[in-house]
Each structure stands twice: as C-alpha cells, then as structure tokens.
Amino acid sequence: MNRLEGKVALITGTGGGQGRVAALRFAREGAVVVGCDTDAAAHAETRRLVEAEGFELHGSAPVDLGDHEQARTWVESAAEQFGRIDVLYNNASAARFGPVAEFSIVDWHYTIRNEIDLIFYTTKYAWKHLAVRGGVIINIASTAAWGGSKVAGISAHCAAKGAVVSFTRQLAVEGAPVGIRAVSISPGFVKTPGTAAFVENPVTRRALLDGVLQDRPGEPEEVVSLALYVASDEAGFMTGSDLVIDGGLLAI
C-alpha cells in the first residue's frame, strides 16, 4: 500500500522478534528503514531477509543504545545519510526479573537503563530532526505498565514500562507545537524468540495466559500492524495515547 512512501524510519532492536518484523513491514510499505541491534549476527540476518524481498536495511550493529554516545551516533548518522527522520520506533528493550526483596541493585539499574534510558537517548537526539516535518515517535511499553504479575517478579519492568507510558504523554505535549506525534503501545504476552520457551512449556504457558480472554499469545505481526498504522498519516489525529494490545488481559 506504500503508506510510508518516502519516509525515513529508525527502528531499534531489528535483530529479531518484533523489530525484525517491523523492518520487513515498514520496508514493504515504502519506508527507508534504518535499524540497529546489540547482536550483529541477528541484525545481519534481518538485513538478508529484507534484501531477499528487494529492499534494503540500513544502520549498523552492534549498537548499545544504553550508551548515549552510541545512540547519538546512530541517530545522527541516519539523519546525515538521508537528510531527514520521519519515524522513531523505539522497540528495543531488555529486562531482568525477580521478587523485589531479592532483586539486586545491579539488575534494577540494568532494567531501567535498557527499558527507559535508551528511549530517552534516541528521542533526545532525533527530536530536532523529527520536528522539521512533523514526525512520529512510537514507544513500545507493556501491559506491565498497567498491572503486576503473579507469575514473575516484574517490579523493575513495571517501573520502566510505566515510565515509558508517562514519558510518551509528555512527548506528545512538547511535540504538538512542532508537529511531532508520540504514541506508546502496550503489548501483552507476545510470542517471540525470547518467549518461545515459555510458550512451549504447558505449565508456564497456562500461567501466562491466565486472564487472557483470547487464550493465546499475541504474534509480533499483530503488534507491528498497529505500529504501522500509528506511523502512517492515517493516524494523524492520534497522539499521547497508550494503545493496549493484549488479547483482553486488562478487560477484567
């Protein structure tokens, strides 16, 4: 449909899961896609898949966006190469889990660094470029921003993803005068390479799907389809929202 024809989209975490799907989908819709990942081999595989369809994946790996200088270099290199940034899709994240009483200080800071700090860095450096033509920021949050879990200790993850939702609202406020839209997306339990072991184990699968009305995990394509809509001009009146895609988990 070429909904993103001529747009330059920066997508983080393109080495696999939702990031890989996003790179493919956005390229098919006409975007110039600039990706990055901490895993060089995984990023290279995504590049191969994109090229197999006749498109190109720009960007580099490894890139650690939790290091603000690496984040700045990645963003500025894209802006210099293509002369514009239209979409910043903050997909990448990493977290550690455990009961709060036993959770280490190191694991707390690791999670905050890799789930909220890196979003601030990319947004900070992309802001002036997004403001030129009125761009879009898409931040991947989580249903953990809205509720806890009986299955796993997710205190740091909850705190970070809650911050992503709140941060996005403020971006919408500050972005409106310069035409920047900002939207967060909160997926529930989604089937990815990182969650495959939980999906395949009947006990953990049952526990994780407890309360999910559709009784199945989401697919990366379903989350990316929503992000694609947000990135397009079709969503021009949408900003400051958090869009939950969770199979009905938060309905009850």
Side-chain angles (χ1 to χ4, degrees):
M1 293 178 63
N2 294 324
R3 284 182 284 179
L4 302 180
E5 188 68 37
K7 295 183 183 295
V8 176
L10 274 59
I11 305 175
T12 68
T14 46
Q18 293 176 46
R20 175 171 291 170
V21 172
L24 287 161
R25 289 291 302 277
F26 276 52
R28 290 170 190 157
E29 291 285 351
V32 173
V33 178
V34 182
C36 70
D37 203 277
T38 56
D39 188 330
H43 179 77
E45 175 61 14
T46 302
R47 175 176 282 119
R48 185 191 68 78
L49 293 170
V50 171
E51 290 176 348
E53 295 194 16
F55 306 111
E56 189 171 0
L57 175 61
H58 304 276
S60 58
V63 175
D64 178 7
L65 296 174
D67 177 340
H68 69 91
E69 285 297 337
Q70 292 188 49
R72 181 188 61 78
T73 298
W74 177 66
V75 170
E76 293 295 347
S77 296
E80 182 178 353
Q81 182 176 0
F82 299 107
R84 61 190 292 170
I85 297 175
D86 300 284
V87 180
L88 175 61
Y89 187 161
N90 284 312
N91 163 76
S93 68
R96 291 176 180 166
F97 305 95
V100 67
E102 302 167 16
F103 204 60
S104 74
I105 302 300
V106 170
D107 287 348
W108 171 269
H109 286 295
Y110 174 91
T111 303
I112 299 303
R113 177 189 192 273
N114 293 297
E115 291 206 319
I116 184 62
D117 287 355
L118 78 178
I119 288 180
F120 167 68
Y121 298 150
T122 55
T123 301
K124 171 181 171 62
Y125 295 120
W127 190 267
K128 64 182 179 182
H129 304 291
L130 292 163
V132 173
R133 296 174 180 83
V136 183
I137 299 169
I138 302 169
N139 293 328
I140 298 301
S142 168
T143 50
W146 299 105
S149 171
K150 295 180 180 179
V151 180
I154 62 172
S155 58
H157 181 55
C158 286
K161 291 303 188 179
V164 171
V165 172
S166 297
F167 180 61
T168 304
R169 291 196 185 109
Q170 181 61 23
L171 296 181
V173 172
E174 295 183 25
V178 292
I180 294 176
R181 296 190 294 111
V183 173
S184 59
I185 296 176
S186 286
F189 182 47
V190 176
K191 183 179 179 181
T192 66
T195 62
F198 300 106
V199 174
E200 293 163 4
N201 183 306
V203 175
T204 56
R205 178 189 174 95
R206 184 165 56 252
L208 288 165
L209 292 179
D210 183 32
V212 178
L213 300 184
Q214 293 187 343
D215 198 31
R216 68 170 178 86
E219 297 290 341
E221 290 79 5
E222 293 171 312
V223 179
V224 173
S225 291
L226 180 56
L228 182 59
Y229 167 71
V230 172
S232 75
D233 293 340
E234 297 169 33
F237 196 53
M238 178 180 291
T239 191
S241 302
D242 181 62
L243 308 179
V244 175
I245 176 167
D246 67 349
L249 175 66
L250 298 183
I252 52 176

